[in-house]
Amino acid sequence: MATHSVATTPFPDQQPGTAGLRRKVTVFQQEHYLANFLQAILDCAGDLRGRSLVAGGDGRYFNREALQIAAELAAGNGVDRLIVGQGGLLSTPAASLLIGHREAAGGLLLTASHNPGGPDGDFGIKFNTASGGQASERLTAEIFDTSRHMERYFVADIGQVDFDTPGERRYGPLTVEIVDPVADYATVMQGLFDFDRIGALLRTGEFRMRFDALHAATGPYARTILEDMLGAPEGTVVNGEPLEDFGGGHPDPNPVDAASLVAFMSADGAADFAAASDGDGDRNMILGRGLVVSPGDSLAILAAHATRIPGYADGLAGVARSMPTSRAIDRVAERLDIPCFETPTGWRFFSNLLEHGHITLCGEESFGTSSNHAREKDGLWAVLFWLDLQAATGRDVVSLVRGHWADYGRNVFCRHDYFIPDAQQGRDIFEALEKSVPSLARKSVGLGVTGADIFSYRDPIDDSVSDHQGVRVMLEDGSRIVYRLSGTGTAGATLRIYLERIMTGSGDMTASAASLTGPLGHIARDLTTLVESAGLAAPTGVI
Ligand code: VG1
Ligand code: CO
């Protein structure tokens, strides 16, 4: 079979964001667009001749076409073996695990995560390295730089690849191996959690749970693990069929996009426990009766009780959170006397800490939590952790959360998103805010500003420095406001404002986070030029 070089011209816009390159499907469908970017990855990934790559995606529209192109390029670049989830499906955490277990040189993860799908929706690609973790900032910059000079890519004429029939087949120089996307992942989960204990809880019939897969990648994983292996009644998993357009919704497990699950948990006949995951299965939302657990609280509670879980019975080496994530975990780390790291937004910043044994658990405010079992965040892992914790303690979610607040105080957390249609205007507003940092302490905002800075991170392992990772403002009552621009959108700009307020003592802590942080939200807005420049007096999204 012939391998040849295809002449192309570079696209100037292939700079990855917070987690890979995300663009409209129509952008990816342009001739050469995907092939150019894949070749840039393959050029930067080291010597791939004779090596394996893992490939799979969240099943969104264009997944299969993209996989075919990826197989042709892999063959053209001397890759020996492509390991693909059946039907082209692999959740992000499952792909990360598979890379490690199969000692692959890396993985091509076809996903735009929580972004909408379908012909008018988004598509995306992430490259994960041999560790299973996302490409570092340095490698990402190299890939972008290479893409800007791309003049050729290499393909082999391998014909149409069968992505559905399990087993190995040879396509010219390339072996394609179609694997069960769930099996390997499920085995890892069995090793971490007490499946007998969880099974006993789920089989009683007294404890009821609902898992909403939002028609995305986690459906098959949740059905196999929760219903087939753990014995939860059929129907526990809802919206479990992956669809190319996720049924028209945003596959984002948050109270806005998964509003029907929140409503179900607040109504008569609610289950005892509910959860949801996102497009590619790496996010999680945890709910008790009438309560959505704030992701920062979830991380803190899992850490505080970790030794009750078999996989973490020996305790935690350390923990980490992304900078905007609430500081609830810091209090737990202090009490456990273990290190707590604060990293920029994006899972790739946890990789080195996990790889070198500095941390065991980590999380982000955007409904992402995971541990050293993988190099990605892991939605179903968090759900199983919460299930096992409930089985071990005999306490439900509400009791665990309220108990935690009573013990440590509550870090009330809320995110206000301001969508600015004109991306340049968004960047200008953020730049003006950064420039105002030195003078913020002199502003009159109702509460005294005790400090403000632009977050910069030095990786303790490789000493790389990442600047301009968001603006932090500290207030005299211990509250904190954080600002940053989203790096996952495909249109306009989204300014994210993260609000955190500390409540301790005997006051009523049970009011909603949105209401408790409302006044802080006004202060946060008024420290920016959102109103003057964009006419935005209220957030376009409150999460
Ligand atoms: C968002 C979240 C961030 C997360 C990233 C990727 O990024 O805020 O915490 O790591 O999505 O998650 P941004 O730049 O839009 O704020 V996923 O599940 O979309 O891969
Ligand atoms: Co995701």
Side-chain angles (χ1 to χ4, degrees):
M1 254 175 230
T3 295
H4 49 250
S5 167
V6 179
T8 185
T9 47
F11 291 89
D13 68 336
Q14 299 195 320
Q15 180 164 29
T18 313
L21 179 69
R22 294 183 194 182
R23 295 286 178 264
K24 294 272 174 224
V25 167
T26 45
V27 172
F28 269 106
Q29 283 171 327
Q30 297 172 84
E31 199 182 2
H32 305 310
Y33 191 89
L34 175 60
N36 271 24
F37 187 64
L38 286 169
Q39 186 64 53
I41 292 174
L42 297 172
D43 281 346
C44 298
D47 190 3
L48 295 173
R49 278 167 306 169
R51 307 276 323 258
S52 304
L53 282 180
V54 166
D58 58 20
R60 68 178 57 227
Y61 186 82
F62 198 57
N63 196 58
R64 279 174 180 266
E65 291 86 335
L67 269 178
Q68 174 67 31
I69 295 171
E72 289 168 10
L73 266 101
N77 282 273
V79 172
D80 177 56
R81 177 179 291 258
L82 199 62
I83 303 163
V84 186
Q86 192 178 8
L89 199 79
L90 274 178
S91 78
T92 287
S96 171
L97 289 174
L98 207 52
I99 293 169
H101 294 171
R102 297 299 305 270
E103 293 180 10
L108 301 168
L109 281 62
L110 312 182
T111 171
S113 187
H114 60 289
N115 296 26
D120 301 320
D122 295 345
F123 189 76
I125 288 227
K126 282 196 299 190
F127 177 64
N128 286 30
T129 60
S131 72
Q134 293 175 27
S136 65
E137 281 230 289
R138 201 173 291 162
L139 177 54
T140 303
E142 244 176 75
I143 292 170
F144 175 46
D145 201 45
T146 305
S147 79
R148 293 193 307 157
H149 304 103
M150 190 54 64
E151 285 173 346
R152 69 352 169 207
Y153 56 82
F154 303 109
V155 288
D157 299 326
I158 57 174
Q160 180 59 47
V161 175
D162 174 356
F163 291 112
D164 295 304
T165 313
E168 299 191 1
R169 268 170 302 280
R170 197 111 186 118
Y171 297 87
L174 180 73
T175 299
V176 177
E177 181 182 346
I178 304 299
V179 300
D180 177 341
V182 181
D184 187 62
Y185 177 84
T187 306
V188 174
M189 295 302 117
Q190 251 177 328
L192 292 172
F193 302 108
D194 188 334
F195 269 39
D196 291 339
R197 182 164 74 185
I198 302 173
L201 178 74
L202 289 172
R203 286 195 190 95
T204 56
E206 279 163 36
F207 180 92
R208 289 193 310 123
M209 108 168 246
R210 173 174 287 193
F211 180 88
D212 193 337
L214 300 175
H215 287 303
T218 337
Y221 294 85
R223 281 211 176 123
T224 300
I225 294 174
L226 298 173
E227 296 183 3
D228 301 345
M229 295 169 75
L230 291 166
E234 216 183 298
T236 297
V237 177
V238 298
N239 299 322
E241 224 46 72
L243 297 175
E244 285 195 333
D245 66 348
F246 309 114
H250 274 215
D252 196 351
N254 65 56
V256 176
D257 296 303
S260 63
L261 188 64
V262 178
F264 166 73
M265 288 302 282
S266 306
D268 290 346
D272 299 279
F273 174 57
S277 192
D278 72 332
D280 59 330
D282 57 359
R283 297 187 181 203
N284 73 92
M285 177 169 67
I286 300 294
L287 300 96
R289 274 178 207 272
L291 177 84
V292 177
V293 183
S294 174
D297 282 346
S298 178
L299 176 62
I301 292 165
L302 299 188
H305 297 276
T307 51
R308 304 294 295 262
I309 306 300
Y312 308 96
D314 293 340
L316 309 176
V319 290
R321 60 165 172 81
S322 68
M323 184 272 278
T325 303
S326 96
R327 293 160 294 168
I329 183 73
D330 302 35
R331 294 165 177 232
V332 175
E334 211 177 301
R335 199 177 291 182
L336 294 175
D337 199 18
I338 55 173
C340 179
F341 297 84
E342 183 177 42
T343 58
T345 293
W347 210 262
R348 61 175 181 252
F349 293 102
F350 294 133
S351 284
N352 275 346
L353 297 171
L354 290 163
E355 200 63 25
H356 288 80
H358 287 16
I359 59 171
T360 311
L361 296 188
C362 48
E364 294 193 284
E365 56 68 43
S366 51
F367 297 83
T369 333
S370 195
S371 84
N372 57 353
H373 73 284
R375 297 292 173 269
E376 287 277 8
K377 54 189 189 263
D378 189 344
L380 206 45
W381 168 91
V383 176
L384 290 166
F385 202 131
W386 270 96
L387 267 174
D388 205 5
L389 197 53
Q390 291 173 87
T393 58
R395 294 168 65 186
D396 68 7
V397 170
V398 175
S399 153
L400 286 162
V401 171
R402 295 259 169 90
H404 191 85
W405 291 346
D407 198 2
Y408 290 87
R410 179 179 177 193
N411 289 55
V412 187
F413 185 85
C414 192
R415 193 179 88 209
H416 287 185
D417 286 342
Y418 287 81
F419 178 70
I420 303 152
D422 177 350
Q424 187 54 47
Q425 186 177 48
R427 286 192 288 272
D428 290 346
I429 289 172
F430 193 74
E431 214 171 282
L433 177 70
E434 279 195 331
K435 284 211 178 98
S436 75
V437 163
S439 63
L440 277 181
R442 290 196 296 279
K443 282 220 174 180
S444 163
V445 293
L447 273 172
V449 176
T450 55
D453 65 2
I454 300 171
F455 183 56
S456 167
Y457 178 68
R458 178 184 289 273
D459 185 294
I461 311 297
D462 63 19
D463 273 336
S464 60
V465 174
S466 305
D467 286 327
H468 294 279
Q469 296 298 319
V471 169
R472 300 189 287 193
V473 179
M474 299 295 306
L475 300 170
E476 63 186 349
D477 68 346
S479 297
R480 189 180 70 146
I481 303 168
V482 171
Y483 305 83
R484 55 179 286 282
L485 283 175
S486 161
T488 55
T490 57
T494 298
L495 178 67
R496 301 203 194 281
I497 303 186
Y498 308 84
L499 309 166
E500 183 185 8
R501 178 182 155 189
I502 317 274
M503 289 177 88
T504 47
S506 52
D508 177 19
M509 294 199 201
T510 59
S512 80
S515 63
L516 289 169
T517 54
L520 195 57
H522 289 135
I523 293 177
R525 179 203 59 200
D526 291 343
L527 290 174
T528 71
T529 51
L530 274 167
V531 180
E532 305 92 285
S533 306
L536 285 171
T540 46
V542 175
I543 303 259

